[in-house]
Amino acid sequence: EIKKIRKDKNIFDVVLKIQQALDNYKNQAKLERFHDLEAFATDIFNTLIRKDDFIKEIQIGKDHGDIRLINKLNMVIPHSNLSAGERQIYALSLLYGMLKTSTKHVPLVFDTLLGRLDTSHKANIISQFLKTCGDQVIVLATDTEIGEDEEKLLAPFMAQHYQIEFDPESNSSIIQKNDLGGKLHAI
């Protein structure tokens, strides 16, 4: 009886130790994922932004999830100090970090992706960001966002190109498929 009780107690102790080891592993893996997320987001931010040494790192609070931009003087840059374009690049950088850290492949839809950006930032987003976003990316854009230069940069990554035009006669929109050679065909 005593031997059986000790055996049951030992099994309980072993299970408890295994549970503690799994919890420690899970917490360590979570911290490593946070570090990866921070590193990926920081790298792409510095790649996309025009300014050299604008930030040293993006830090993500492990407990509360607060996100901070740290400059080269180790000072926090308030989000309110960022321009609209810089905030957009910041948000895209966080998305990129999550995509790179995740094991999941998800389709992405961007609406007015390039609207707040100047020409050089647009080129960086197209050439450095979009090509790394995965296999299913939809970009909804206005004619003012994507000019000839941006269209040339996008061409190698496009599988389909549609143009939506409003027809005042029918009071409806007409969708035309671009054959990627510049010719539009009604659908």
Side-chain angles (χ1 to χ4, degrees):
E1 283 295 314
I2 292 173
K3 191 175 183 181
K4 184 180 176 193
I5 291 171
R6 283 188 182 158
K7 185 177 179 184
D8 289 344
K9 184 180 182 311
N10 286 343
I11 290 173
F12 179 75
D13 289 342
V14 168
V15 169
L16 186 62
K17 287 179 183 177
I18 290 172
Q19 182 63 47
Q20 289 170 342
L22 288 173
D23 288 343
N24 288 339
Y25 175 77
K26 183 174 73 171
N27 290 333
Q28 185 61 34
K30 186 177 173 184
L31 282 176
E32 287 176 17
R33 294 284 248 210
F34 269 112
H35 291 301
D36 290 347
L37 174 58
E38 291 171 336
F40 287 132
T42 300
D43 287 345
I44 196 68
F45 186 90
N46 285 324
T47 299
L48 298 177
I49 201 79
R50 256 191 337 222
K51 302 172 184 174
D52 291 335
D53 295 327
F54 184 61
I55 66 157
K56 183 176 103 179
E57 66 181 318
I58 295 175
Q59 292 180 346
I60 302 172
K62 304 331 178 244
D63 296 326
H64 300 98
D66 53 322
I67 304 169
R68 304 181 313 166
L69 290 168
I70 307 298
N71 67 14
K72 62 183 175 184
L73 302 173
N74 289 322
M75 296 172 60
V76 175
I77 300 171
H79 295 109
S80 59
N81 286 8
L82 300 176
S83 70
E86 290 166 345
R87 276 184 287 215
Q88 185 165 348
I89 289 172
Y90 172 56
L92 291 174
S93 299
L94 293 172
L95 175 63
Y96 175 84
M98 288 186 277
L99 290 172
K100 293 294 278 185
T101 305
S102 174
T103 57
K104 306 279 188 235
H105 298 281
V106 296
L108 297 173
V109 178
F110 294 105
D111 188 4
T112 322
L113 176 66
L114 306 172
R116 294 181 179 95
L117 303 173
D118 59 24
T119 306
S120 65
H121 282 123
K122 285 180 184 182
N124 285 345
I125 295 294
I126 293 168
S127 63
Q128 301 296 322
F129 176 75
L130 281 179
K131 69 180 182 182
T132 64
C133 285
D135 297 329
Q136 292 182 318
V137 179
I138 298 171
V139 178
L140 305 172
T142 65
D143 58 348
T144 59
E145 286 179 81
I146 298 180
E148 283 184 36
D149 293 339
E150 291 81 19
E151 206 166 313
K152 287 177 187 172
L153 288 171
L154 278 168
F157 310 114
M158 283 196 295
Q160 302 286 327
H161 176 201
Y162 296 92
Q163 189 168 329
I164 303 171
E165 296 285 339
F166 181 73
D167 179 20
E169 287 182 26
S170 65
N171 199 30
S172 63
S173 294
I174 298 171
I175 300 172
Q176 297 176 315
K177 183 176 180 180
N178 186 324
D179 65 8
L180 302 178
K183 295 180 184 172
L184 293 172
H185 307 281
I187 297 179

